[in-house]
Amino acid sequence: MQAVRLLAAHSLRLQDVPQPQPGPGDILIRIEACGICGSDRHMYAGEYPTAKPVTLGHEFAGTVLAAGSAVTRIKIGQRVTGDPNIACGTCSQCRSGRFNLCAHLSAIGVQRDGGFAQYLVMPEGQAHVLPVDLDPVHAAFCEPLACCLHGLDVARISPGDSVAIFGGGVIGLLMVQLCRLAGAGTIVLSTRQQPRRELALTLGATHAIDPAASDALAQIRAIAPGGVDVALECAGVPQTFTQSVAAVRRGGAVVIFGVMPQGQGVSVAPFELLVNEIRLQGAYLNPLTHARAAAMISARTLALDCLVSRIVPLSEVPAIIASPPAFGEIKIIARS
Ligand code: NAP
């Protein structure tokens, strides 16, 4: 079968490899769609640890072709999405329910072969069943949506809250929709590209501001005097981190969702966090949220087609991952 293999940093190739065989507790799926994520670019650049060689792709969906002898729940022919993050279940974090912080976390498409391939094997327990008539391109959104749901859980948005979202990539645009569904009264998206701002307004943002046109904080303060209840940092750059902390009201919450390079520092004023009781918290991966994401995608709750920039064959994936995102690109989906 064909698979997009990361051989070493900056070396990503479409190769012929043997089709994987399911073990007793595994299922074999025929991959139908797999999203390209910014993390794939970090892995390509050697900025995020992976096994090597490994097939990339952690936002995948497909149809079950075969099941091992110990598989009981998943049936051949079902369409499934896979939670890529496999927790050990026995470390102290797992035993306290914090599976995303597992000491031995192993991810499909990172440490184990992933979804930029024709076939994939995964443990039955990672699979979530989807409707057979669901568009596989939509199914590939389950993984990023599951991460966003954890971000929303961490944010603890109440109906009527005001929220500022920094960064209008696929994550920021999913967050806009989730905040709307959570009942936020004011949803401000800060992003530089005008088409994204226009799109955000159709997806539920009440305001979309251009941080390059004038001071983002002044614009947010004009909309939410005293600051917003919650800031969601979804760009992963120092400037938006600083803006997120400054944008919240006294007693507000900042969720760090964007990924900044390891070791990258930003300046914060602990005094301001202290006297304003600002809650500053990371939201990492998808602990126990993949099933909820699958339920939302199955119910067609979100607008997804508008987030798909291109659908490409596997053969185009190495060059796309090796290049910076094109202007206007939101989400590219590979289909084998
Ligand atoms: P993305 O496509 O890179 O989108 C981020 C967007 O932020 C950029 O496209 C850019 O849009 C905007 N931006 C950059 N600088 C900005 C600035 N100074 N002010 C306002 N906006 C700015 O990434 P994504 O796929 O949406 O993901 C967002 C972040 O979440 C990434 O860092 C990703 O690695 C991370 N992530 C985290 C998790 C997790 O579990 N925590 C899961 C998935 C992804 P404009 O050009 O329009 O400004």
Side-chain angles (χ1 to χ4, degrees), residues 137 308-313 316 331-335:
V137 169
V308 179
S309 308
R310 274 193 295 155
I311 296 172
V312 300
E316 290 186 25
K331 174 62 76 182
I332 297 178
I333 305 278
R335 300 202 67 174

Side-chain angles (χ1 to χ4, degrees), residues 199-230:
L199 177 58
L201 291 171
T202 70
L203 296 176
T206 55
H207 304 79
I209 64 169
D210 179 1
S214 64
D215 179 34
L217 284 174
Q219 295 184 70
I220 290 169
R221 293 283 166 151
I223 296 163
V228 291
D229 297 302
V230 174

Side-chain angles (χ1 to χ4, degrees), residues 80-106:
V80 293
T81 163
D83 174 355
N85 298 304
I86 304 174
C88 75
T90 58
C91 73
S92 60
Q93 294 288 358
C94 283
R95 282 184 286 114
S96 65
R98 304 192 74 173
F99 298 103
N100 56 330
L101 304 183
C102 169
H104 310 290
L105 201 66
S106 171

